[in-house]
Amino acid sequence: MDKEAVKAEARTESHDPDYPEALLAFMKTGWRDGSLDVQPRPEATHHARRRAAVSAAFPGETLVIPTGPEKVRANDTGYHFRPGSDFAYLTGDHDPGSVLLMHPDGDAVLYTRHRAPRDTDEFFRSRDGELWVGRRHTLAEKSTELGLRTAPLTDLPAALAACAPARTRVLRGLDTTVDTAVRPYDTDEAGARDRGLAEVIAELKLVKDEWELAQLQDAIDATVRGFEDVARVLPADRSVPERLLEGIFGLRARHDGNDVGYNSIVGAGANATVLHWVRNTGVTRPGELLLMDMGVENRHLYTADVTRTVPVSGAFSPLQKQVYDIVYASQQAGIDVIKPGVKFREVHQTCMRVLAEGLADLGVLPVSVDEALDKESTVYRRWTLHGFGHMLGIDVHDCAKARKEKYRDGELDEGYVLTVEPGLYFQPDDDLVPAELRGIGVRIEDDVLVTPAGAVVLSAGLPRQAAEVEAWLAAQRESAPRLP
């Protein structure tokens, strides 16, 4: 990794005006150097404990965890930067381009950009300079806040060069420059070593501490408010664009949190049968259902993941309610079985059996329930392709790098947070179901904490039963519109 690769340079654009020498000289004068009133963050102790746990899993090794650079959206415009989840989990730092080095002796150093000196052009000329994007922390200020030793990003190349490749693990894929610097060529052994680091972090993330649970509840509570906002502007007697509802929820997410935790799914009518309908180009219609899968990501990057399916007109038709009740019964059965020691697969099978029995009651299952559930068949999945849920935390699909034996083939434990989200989806072009079922899609999703006493539904602020959903929708519509 060349030191020039991390050197702060003026990033300009083609339409920028020229800087005459007189202006360049004038811009470097007359600036007061003040300091920020920073305090140690309360969560810094949690980050330190996590770093210690990761280091303990790899004695005698150097660990390299980058956050990744900013990403180009189009030409010279970028996406809103979001730090790498594992990096944020271990540091609490939200700035782009930083790299965490954890040394074998337990020392951890955050290599990051610091304030640009006022005797260079960078602070006013570069599009990522402080006069364009805001003041950066000094290294000392960031160290105080995070409880973590800091060093200039320009010192990183030398630090990486000093790492012994055979005793270094890298969280790969976030920063290709760092990947190449630490290990200029790939080997099977190196790849396995790096996967081991990702697995350990993912498995540590399975159990949420009290601070993480507070962040998740914060995100979930904001999500409940977002659903209420949407319900208040959803008319019962006329159509509105899906994107209006997406935008209303997005306003809540940006106001109460960092952003949406994932692209919001707002599926009206037959669009509800598309599992990841994120185009949101349709419109609601009275008499149809509206499926909304949305979550707020809070300011510490923990996200909710909630789905509700509501009748646009205010009341479910008898057939819509029958499908809805099957999905509700499936979800409740899954929630009821959750407790420490229960296998993840058992929750899945519990939910799926109720769905298969419901499909049989609807007359669409071509075989018996037991035959449909047989692992060599699973034909019931034509109408419910996804599993019952997933882990939730600093990512919407948290702990994704965990080993199968600790996640999909493993047991639930106290402190796990997961979604329970069964659904039934009857495609509009499915000739194997009655015409009246075609175009109906229902999913109900809640965020659940595993406790010694069983499951606690963290998203209980939104009703789930059909009659309660109807009453909730009516109550929201009767109240005055509320914006953040």
Side-chain angles (χ1 to χ4, degrees):
M1 184 178 185
D2 189 343
K3 188 170 183 176
E4 293 301 311
V6 293
K7 183 179 179 182
E9 297 179 348
R11 182 169 65 84
T12 59
E13 296 176 0
S14 59
H15 56 277
D16 287 345
D18 294 332
Y19 281 87
E21 287 300 322
L23 177 58
L24 290 174
F26 183 66
M27 288 297 294
K28 298 172 187 176
T29 63
W31 301 103
R32 184 174 61 254
D33 188 18
S35 60
L36 296 178
D37 181 18
V38 297
Q39 301 296 326
R41 294 183 185 174
E43 65 270 19
T45 56
H46 294 281
H47 295 129
R49 178 184 52 76
R50 296 169 196 160
R51 291 194 297 272
V54 174
S55 287
F58 303 105
E61 300 191 34
T62 300
L63 309 179
V64 184
I65 298 99
T67 190
E70 295 175 287
K71 304 293 185 184
V72 174
R73 180 180 182 273
N75 192 25
D76 53 10
T77 61
Y79 288 102
H80 283 297
F81 179 74
R82 185 198 185 276
S85 295
D86 292 343
F87 175 88
Y89 176 77
L90 295 172
T91 68
D93 183 39
H94 288 195
D95 289 336
S98 302
V99 179
L100 175 68
L101 251 64
M102 300 167 65
H103 295 286
D105 61 2
D107 186 30
V109 182
L110 179 67
Y111 290 85
T112 187
R113 289 185 68 183
H114 55 84
R115 297 198 69 195
R118 291 304 192 256
D119 59 357
T120 71
D121 296 355
E122 191 267 343
F123 78 96
F124 66 87
R125 192 173 184 180
S126 178
R127 285 304 175 96
D128 55 7
E130 291 188 4
L131 293 194
W132 289 91
V133 300
R135 187 190 188 280
R136 291 198 292 267
H137 282 48
T138 65
L139 295 178
E141 289 166 349
K142 181 165 285 193
S143 181
T144 297
E145 278 198 341
L146 302 180
L148 181 61
R149 192 156 70 88
T150 56
L153 191 58
T154 48
D155 290 355
L156 180 63
L160 294 178
C163 296
R167 302 292 294 169
T168 301
R169 296 177 189 253
V170 188
L171 197 66
R172 304 294 289 272
L174 289 172
D175 193 323
T176 56
T177 306
V178 173
D179 294 349
T180 303
V182 176
R183 191 168 296 113
Y185 51 86
D186 287 322
T187 66
D188 291 342
E189 180 183 357
R193 235 180 6 252
D194 295 339
R195 285 195 299 276
L197 173 58
E199 289 170 353
V200 164
I201 297 174
E203 290 168 16
L204 286 171
K205 288 162 66 179
L206 284 166
V207 177
K208 271 59 181 179
D209 60 37
E210 67 274 15
W211 182 81
E212 290 183 287
L213 292 176
Q215 304 315 308
L216 281 166
Q217 191 64 68
D218 176 58
I220 291 165
D221 291 345
T223 298
V224 170
R225 294 191 291 272
F227 271 87
E228 292 171 347
D229 295 339
V230 170
R232 290 187 176 101
V233 301
L234 174 65
D237 57 352
R238 61 183 175 85
S239 297
V240 294
E242 294 170 345
R243 287 189 178 177
L244 170 66
L245 309 180
E246 175 191 0
I248 291 293
F249 186 85
L251 173 61
R252 175 62 63 181
R254 286 291 288 162
H255 182 271
D256 288 11
N258 177 58
D259 208 333
V260 291
Y262 51 94
N263 291 329
S264 296
I265 298 169
V266 182
N271 291 340
T273 68
V274 181
L275 301 184
H276 281 181
W277 176 256
V278 294
R279 300 177 194 171
N280 299 340
T281 53
V283 297
T284 64
R285 292 182 178 85
E288 294 185 339
L289 298 179
L290 171 66
L291 185 156
M292 297 175 289
D293 185 336
M294 307 184 294
V296 171
E297 177 184 80
N298 88 337
R299 290 184 173 90
H300 291 285
L301 309 182
Y302 286 78
T303 186
D305 185 5
V306 177
T307 305
R308 287 297 183 268
T309 306
V310 303
V312 173
S313 297
F316 293 99
S317 72
L319 182 60
Q320 289 170 347
K321 184 176 183 302
Q322 184 179 1
V323 175
Y324 188 95
D325 287 346
I326 293 168
V327 175
Y328 171 79
S330 170
Q331 189 201 33
Q332 188 60 53
I335 292 172
D336 288 343
V337 80
I338 288 175
K339 63 180 179 180
V342 169
K343 287 188 174 295
F344 187 88
R345 286 184 182 272
E346 182 180 343
V347 184
H348 175 79
Q349 289 303 119
T350 299
C351 291
M352 296 305 111
R353 175 166 286 278
V354 176
L355 291 182
E357 290 171 348
L359 289 166
D361 292 340
L362 288 169
V364 302
L365 207 58
V367 296
S368 71
V369 170
D370 287 338
E371 288 176 295
L373 289 168
D374 187 275
K375 64 180 181 180
E376 301 301 323
S377 168
T378 68
V379 295
Y380 72 94
R381 291 182 59 197
R382 179 185 179 99
W383 301 287
T384 179
L385 285 174
H386 59 80
F388 85 89
H390 52 80
M391 298 299 168
L392 184 71
I394 202 168
D395 282 318
V396 66
H397 295 151
D398 206 29
C399 314
K401 298 293 179 62
R403 293 166 295 170
K404 286 178 63 176
E405 57 266 32
K406 293 290 291 182
Y407 189 167
R408 199 178 74 182
D409 294 341
E411 296 179 351
L412 302 179
D413 203 354
E414 181 180 354
Y416 283 25
V417 176
L418 65 159
T419 68
V420 183
E421 52 173 311
L424 287 176
Y425 314 92
F426 301 102
Q427 304 300 325
D429 57 352
D430 189 348
D431 287 339
L432 298 188
V433 299
E436 59 269 21
L437 277 174
R438 296 173 197 156
I440 291 179
V442 174
R443 179 164 67 252
I444 312 170
E445 178 180 19
D446 283 275
D447 304 336
V448 173
L449 168 65
V450 182
T451 77
V456 172
V457 180
L458 301 177
S459 47
L462 287 175
R464 294 187 292 127
Q465 289 184 311
E468 294 174 346
V469 169
E470 292 173 340
W472 170 83
L473 183 56
Q476 301 307 315
R477 285 170 164 166
E478 288 173 2
S479 62
R482 181 193 66 193
L483 294 178

